[in-house]
Amino acid sequence: MNPVLALAPRFGRATGRDGRTTTALAIVAFALTTALATSVLAATLGFVERAAHPTSGVEERLGDTYVLLAYVATVLLVVPLLTLGGAAARLGVARRNDRLATLRLLGATPREVVGLTLVETATQGIVGAVAGTVLYVALLPVWTSVPFLGRTFTADELWVGPGVLALVWLGVPLLAVASGAVTLRQVVVSPLGVARRVRPPALRAVRVVVAVVAFAGFVVVSMFLQAFAAAAAAILIGGLALAFAAVNAIGPWLLGVAGRRRLRRARTPEDLLAARRLLDDPRAVWRVVGGLSLASFVAGALAVVPVLAEQSAGDADTRLLMQDILTGALLTLLIAFLLAAASAGIAQAASVLDRRRELALAHLAGVPTELFDAVRRREVLGPVLAASVGSAGLALALFFPLFGLAALTAPQGLLLLAVSLGAGVLLVLAATESSRPLLRRVLADPVVRAD
Amino acid sequence: MSHTATNPLVPTTTAHDPRLAARGLVKRYGPTTALAGVDVDLGEGEALAIMGPSGSGKSTLLHVLAGILVPDEGTVRLRGRRVEGLSERERSLLRRGRYGFVFQHGQLLSELTALENVAIASMLDGEPRASAQQLAAQWLATLGVAGEQDRRPGEMSGGQAQRVAVARALVTRPDVVFADEPTGSLDQATGQEVMRILVESTRAVGASLVVVTHDASVAAWCDRRIDVRDGLVVAGQGPVCGAAPVAGVGHAGTTSVRTTSTAQDRVPA
């Protein structure tokens, strides 16, 4: 075996407390990604199965529509899922930069350095995938308690089977390795180490391409599904997809604009630092709040569902469909919030560890711990509020002409929206605050020589 | 006060009381004794070098003097006021308000520009942002890095970053500046230049300076030097502490400091 790669297990053992923290965080993130991805996949497959083998009249009539809606939910969750998985991989790799730069100086080839790190990242991915599968099984009772199409899923219906599990166990480590490899490019470029936080290159064009591809994907998927009896639904969903793409494309740019504005107006040290961190990498901030934004957009769009339900009071099928859309949307929203919260927590932990030396030295020079707490809150709260309230507001504005003032006559939808957004924002903030003990540990650690 | 006995290496002050006075400092890490009873006096405006090999306890001494670490025994007085027994929060305030720090590297906040890194020190002291940035710009100009003010630490050379760090340490007009191997990651020429700037500008604001170093050419810039071995001060050199720097003549560093001092090195009014 290559002598450098043979070092992998030793490094795994010798990483110290920070290393263990990041490894644990990465594994938790991979596990959460796996569990929620498998659950979403399971529900989608469950609806496909129901549509293929309907057991009741209503399943026969509405089965295909539900499959379509399940696909919509899945597509909505792909971005947050990939974000969390990618964040976990980046966390693991970024923390190893110093050590890898040293290895490069000692003469390890780029290939060996990359290999060594990716072996570790893949290992974390595999462990996370296995743990996530256990979590998926543990979550089955939750999903089987939610009724769709008039009856709940059985655990059997939601069991994805060994084939899908094998795919997941392969897919999660692959995703980890791919994200890790992208992050590693910085280390490999120069043996003299990594320029800290180089400004990332502009990716606007790429983002638009991705948005277009996603939209085209929607169209293709909907053409394959012969479920478009209701053309209006296709237009609705297509419109949604387009709006998501637009929101995702302009989100980071908007955050950058907001950051510059905040920087100009900053009066206190905490405002100044928070604005600078936002400006430093608006894309990274968007990665955290982007999922939240999509989910909030859905929530905003669905705030009008009770109005629809009321308008179609006569038809039992439509009433059931509206009820289930609301249930499904709330589940999607919940999962999106969980993923966004986990991403935010991981991002904060990574930020603390990446800045550990400057934070500790600033603390030695008398900068109070509370300042960093205040910066963290300001750093997260603004973008989270803007992404969730802004996106929900955009959805409401877009759909308002469709439903007119009727929306105002059914305020329960808006109430539901406000409550779920509030809960989601609190969840993200709570996850962010979880890096508080880590910050204190880093500040208490004498980074300067003990001599 | 438990340790009033005078150490022959730390003569008692005459004309001036010392700005910073430590007596009988003991600091242990588990079974290891890092400081085994150290007395140090630092005069008004005096520059003191603490030298010693790796593991001698010189950094621990700096940390105890600066209120970063609490000694197990002994006292530290700043202008006669005991500071070693203050709470963590009070010591933080003390460090922020009365002391300045220059570390080896990596102390500038990486997301802020040079200007903001200096300005934030006075903003923490309650200075409004606009005047803090104005003051910071003057300091950067004085220290010869005006052109770097919009660049971030990652975009500056080591010498430039240390000048910015010196500006940040001095912008609050501290009583004492603590420098821990300030030239440790610089080449010889740049290191000498940074030391010149550090010593001259510290003196110009009337602050005292403590420099921890293992490099004799760095220590030579200071008025006085003490050597630490195994947690004890084993040798001292230079004039009686407490003497005003203007009175200090004839020891390494001082003469060259004075001769190279020019109008442009003076701090902003």
Side-chain angles (χ1 to χ4, degrees), chain A residues 197 263 277 280 364 451, chain B residues 59 95 110-111 129 152:
Chain A
R197 270 191 289 292
L263 180 67
R277 284 194 187 175
D280 199 31
L364 289 191
D451 143 6
Chain B
S59 285
R95 297 200 297 269
S110 55
E111 58 271 72
R129 183 177 171 195
R152 304 201 311 178

Side-chain angles (χ1 to χ4, degrees), chain A residues 20 44 97 115 122 148 155 205 236 239 287 304 312 323 377 389 421:
Chain A
R20 283 196 295 277
T44 307
N97 275 351
F148 280 107
L236 199 73
R287 275 200 293 270
V304 296
S312 57
Q323 181 57 48
R377 279 184 220 113
V389 176
L421 285 188

Side-chain angles (χ1 to χ4, degrees), chain A residues 167-406:
Chain A
L167 272 181
V168 168
W169 289 14
L170 197 69
V172 172
L174 274 181
L175 165 74
V177 166
S179 303
V182 172
T183 311
L184 265 176
R185 275 185 317 190
Q186 310 173 42
V187 189
V188 178
V189 170
S190 155
L192 285 176
V194 192
R196 283 171 56 71
R197 270 191 289 292
V198 279
R199 290 156 215 243
L203 282 170
R204 277 195 189 95
V206 173
R207 211 165 32 236
V208 173
V209 169
V210 169
V212 170
V213 168
F215 181 59
F218 254 109
V219 176
V220 172
V221 166
S222 37
M223 285 207 286
F224 270 109
L225 301 160
Q226 298 295 313
F228 275 130
I235 293 165
L236 199 73
I237 290 163
L240 267 181
L242 202 61
F244 291 156
V247 167
N248 227 4
I250 62 173
W253 178 79
L254 273 179
L255 282 180
V257 171
R260 275 188 290 280
R261 200 179 116 97
R262 264 171 103 170
L263 180 67
R264 272 197 311 275
R265 299 187 158 206
R267 288 174 187 280
T268 62
E270 46 268 43
D271 285 340
L272 180 63
L273 265 169
R276 273 291 178 199
R277 284 194 187 175
L278 179 57
L279 268 179
D280 199 31
D281 195 355
R283 256 166 289 242
V285 179
W286 181 255
R287 275 200 293 270
V288 172
V289 300
L292 203 61
S293 165
L294 296 192
S296 306
F297 190 89
V298 180
L302 291 167
V304 296
V305 165
V307 182
L308 288 181
E310 230 163 61
Q311 284 171 347
S312 57
D315 184 352
D317 274 9
T318 313
R319 261 210 315 276
L320 182 66
L321 180 63
M322 291 302 160
Q323 181 57 48
D324 285 354
I325 284 181
L326 205 57
T327 310
L330 282 176
L331 274 180
T332 309
L333 196 59
L334 173 72
I335 294 175
F337 275 137
L338 279 175
L339 290 169
S343 298
I346 296 249
Q348 274 300 322
S351 151
V352 169
L353 290 172
D354 278 346
R355 296 180 161 95
R356 62 169 314 150
R357 186 179 170 86
E358 63 185 69
L359 291 180
L361 290 179
H363 185 58
L364 289 191
V367 176
T369 314
E370 293 74 24
L371 175 79
F372 298 121
D373 287 335
V375 171
R376 176 182 60 234
R377 279 184 220 113
R378 276 176 176 69
E379 189 187 352
V380 174
L381 187 61
V384 162
L385 278 179
S388 54
V389 176
S391 302
L394 181 67
L396 283 178
L398 277 176
F399 286 94
F400 196 74
L402 261 175
F403 308 102
L405 286 170

